């Protein structure tokens, strides 16, 4: 016979949870919820200051180099003037090039998908000739819909992106002021932290956050250059656009390079043929292995070492909270948290 549960045992389990513990948990949950709400409400401000901080961080390296030969004021003037000229020239030249190549690629992809003898039909015929029962019609329809929606969104967003010069100017101005008063601003931020923890927080943020951003930007930039040179050497169509695509996706830790390579290979497969796509896949895999095994360990050796599970968890949470910005900042923030709380279980090998 089944015995009825003892109500005394049931009450004893609940009695083990103290009121103070429950109240602390609820307060912690409410604080976290409020923090997420505040972050989403001020997302634009955080976006501007985050990009300004990253730009100021990058400009600080030539500033430190020039300060060895000239005074700080002259070095600041040179860095600001040269960076303005470089940024404006890069935005104009790279922006026009990307816009032109995106429009050309969109036209070619839409034409290739709407032809009667597109790459999917060729692959379907090849599989049928070898008696392989695999229907690509559903996959082809889904990929066509995704391509049409994505390309229309990209083409329509590019002019808006380049016309939104107000945000661009604000980011530049804030970055220059951060570069000028960076040390004072950092001391001001540290005053929000209790005095006994300031040194530890400063080391954790500089090592994990700034170190990760610096290393990730450098790695993605070098991968973009290497990919562009190899694509141009093998005469792959649209080498600049495809190299920039891989480099941007590579900024996403963990899975970014794989997503970028997969997208580029799919684009080449649709607009060319499977042989060129396979060649591009091999090239990208070789470059990715060189990056992961030779470049990344040297550049990121003193920064974040997180478990892959923690990395993907941080990416999903960051995307949910703040979209694209959260996707790029989630991992360095997670690294700072793991470092501050000494969570050895969350660290990678």
């Amino acid at each position: 016979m089944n015995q009825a549960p003892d109500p005394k045992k049931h009450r004893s389990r609940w009695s083990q949870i103290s009121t103070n513990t429950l109240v602390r948990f609820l307060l912690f949950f409410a604080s976290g919820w409020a923090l997420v709400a505040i972050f989403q409400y001020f997302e634009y401000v955080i976006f501007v200051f985050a990009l300004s901080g990253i730009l100021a961080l990058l400009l600080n390296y030539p500033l430190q180099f020039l300060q060895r030969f000239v005074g700080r004021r002259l070095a600041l003037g040179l860095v600001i003037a040269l960076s303005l000229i470089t940024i404006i020239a890069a935005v104009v030249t790279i922006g026009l090039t990307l816009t032109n190549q995106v429009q050309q690629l969109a036209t070619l992809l839409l034409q290739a998908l709407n032809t009667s003898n597109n790459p999917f039909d060729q692959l379907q015929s090849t599989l049928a000739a070898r008696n392989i029962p695999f229907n690509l019609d559903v996959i082809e329809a889904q990929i066509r819909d995704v391509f049409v929606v994505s390309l229309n969104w990209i083409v329509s967003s590019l002019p808006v992106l380049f016309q939104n010069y107000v945000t661009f100017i604000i980011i530049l101005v804030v970055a220059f002021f951060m570069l000028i008063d960076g040390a004072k601003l950092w001391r001001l931020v540290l005053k929000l932290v209790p005095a006994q923890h300031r040194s530890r927080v400063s080391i954790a943020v500089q090592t994990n956050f700034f170190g990760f951003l610096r290393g990730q930007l450098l790695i993605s930039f070098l991968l973009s250059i290497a990919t562009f040179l190899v694509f141009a050497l093998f005469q792959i169509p649209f080498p600049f656009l495809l190299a920039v695509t891989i480099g941007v996706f590579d900024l996403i830790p963990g899975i970014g390079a794989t997503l970028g390579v997969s997208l580029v290979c799919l684009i080449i497969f649709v607009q060319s043929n499977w042989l060129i796509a396979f060649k591009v896949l091999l090239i990208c895999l070789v470059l990715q292995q060189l990056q992961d095994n030779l470049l990344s360990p040297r550049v990121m050796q003193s920064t974040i070492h997180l478990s892959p599970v923690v990395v993907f968890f941080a990416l999903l949470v960051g995307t949910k909270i703040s979209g694209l910005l959260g996707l790029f900042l989630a991992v360095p923030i997670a690294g700072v948290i793991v470092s501050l709380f000494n969570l050895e279980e969350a660290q990678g090998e």
Side-chain angles (χ1 to χ4, degrees):
M1 292 180 62
N2 295 329
Q3 296 180 355
D6 188 356
K8 294 182 178 180
K9 292 182 178 180
H10 184 71
R11 287 196 300 269
S12 64
R13 293 173 184 172
W14 280 103
S15 63
Q16 294 176 359
I17 303 177
S18 64
T19 305
N20 291 333
T21 303
L22 183 59
V23 170
R24 288 177 182 176
F25 174 78
L26 292 176
L27 287 175
F28 179 77
F29 180 79
S31 300
W33 187 271
L35 184 62
V36 171
I38 292 172
F39 193 93
Q40 292 176 342
Y41 184 78
F42 292 101
E43 184 175 357
Y44 175 77
V45 178
I46 296 173
F47 172 79
V48 170
F49 275 81
L51 288 185
S52 300
I54 294 172
L55 181 59
L57 176 68
L58 296 176
L59 294 178
N60 189 52
Y61 292 102
L63 176 62
Q64 291 180 349
F65 176 77
L66 290 176
Q67 282 185 177
R68 301 175 183 176
F69 309 100
V70 297
R72 177 173 175 81
R73 291 186 178 181
L74 181 57
L76 278 171
L78 290 174
V79 169
I80 291 175
L82 293 176
S83 59
L84 272 176
I85 296 173
T86 304
I87 291 172
I88 294 174
V91 168
V92 172
T93 56
I94 295 177
L96 292 177
T97 303
L98 284 178
T99 303
N100 185 32
Q101 292 198 3
V102 166
Q103 292 176 345
Q104 293 180 14
L105 180 60
T107 303
L108 290 176
L109 288 177
L110 293 177
Q111 291 176 353
L113 288 171
N114 293 324
T115 56
S116 57
N117 190 25
N118 59 61
F120 292 100
D121 293 335
Q122 296 177 6
L123 181 59
Q124 184 70 65
S125 302
T126 303
L127 294 176
R130 290 169 172 75
N131 297 321
I132 300 176
F134 192 78
N135 191 2
L136 294 174
D137 292 339
V138 177
I139 299 177
E140 178 185 352
Q142 293 178 350
I143 292 177
R144 181 184 288 109
D145 294 339
V146 171
F147 264 125
V148 171
V149 173
S150 301
L151 291 173
N152 288 336
W153 179 82
I154 292 173
V155 172
S156 61
S157 298
L158 281 174
V160 177
L161 180 64
F162 294 123
Q163 290 173 5
N164 196 5
Y165 61 92
V166 175
T167 301
F168 176 70
I169 296 299
I170 292 175
I171 291 173
L172 285 181
V173 173
V174 174
F176 291 149
F177 279 112
M178 284 184 175
L179 185 65
I180 295 171
D181 297 325
K184 295 180 181 179
L185 293 173
W186 182 238
R187 288 195 296 268
L188 177 63
V189 172
L190 286 178
K191 286 184 177 180
L192 301 175
V193 181
Q196 62 272 22
H197 300 298
R198 288 176 186 172
S199 177
R200 185 180 172 192
V201 170
S202 178
I203 295 174
V205 172
Q206 292 181 11
T207 302
N208 292 281
F209 195 86
F210 295 145
F212 171 81
L213 290 177
R214 180 185 65 245
Q216 196 70 20
L217 288 170
L218 177 61
I219 291 172
S220 300
F221 177 71
L222 293 177
L223 179 63
S224 299
I225 293 178
T227 307
F228 171 74
L229 293 176
V230 175
F231 283 0
L233 179 64
F234 284 91
Q235 297 181 346
I236 304 298
F238 304 103
F240 182 74
L241 175 61
L242 298 181
V244 170
T245 301
I246 292 178
V248 171
F249 274 94
D250 192 48
L251 291 172
I252 305 173
I255 199 174
T258 303
L259 290 175
V261 170
S262 303
L263 178 61
V264 166
C265 291
L266 184 60
I267 291 174
I268 293 177
F269 173 74
V270 172
Q271 63 137 347
S272 299
N273 54 58
W274 67 269
L275 184 60
I276 297 179
F278 182 71
K279 184 191 299 184
V280 171
L281 178 62
L282 291 180
I283 293 172
C284 292
L285 288 178
V286 171
L287 292 176
Q288 188 177 353
Q289 290 300 313
L290 291 174
Q291 171 190 278
D292 294 339
N293 296 301
L294 294 179
L295 183 61
S296 293
R298 296 178 181 273
V299 176
M300 310 289 280
Q301 60 182 353
S302 61
T303 58
I304 299 174
H305 298 284
L306 296 177
S307 168
V309 177
V310 177
V311 170
F312 284 105
F313 178 78
L315 291 174
L316 293 175
V317 173
T319 305
K320 180 65 177 178
I321 294 176
S322 187
L324 187 62
L325 179 63
L327 185 66
F328 291 112
L329 299 182
V331 173
I333 293 175
V336 173
I337 295 174
V338 169
S339 178
L340 288 176
F341 290 95
N342 291 324
L343 301 178
E344 297 181 357
E345 297 81 3
Q347 298 178 359
E349 297 180 357

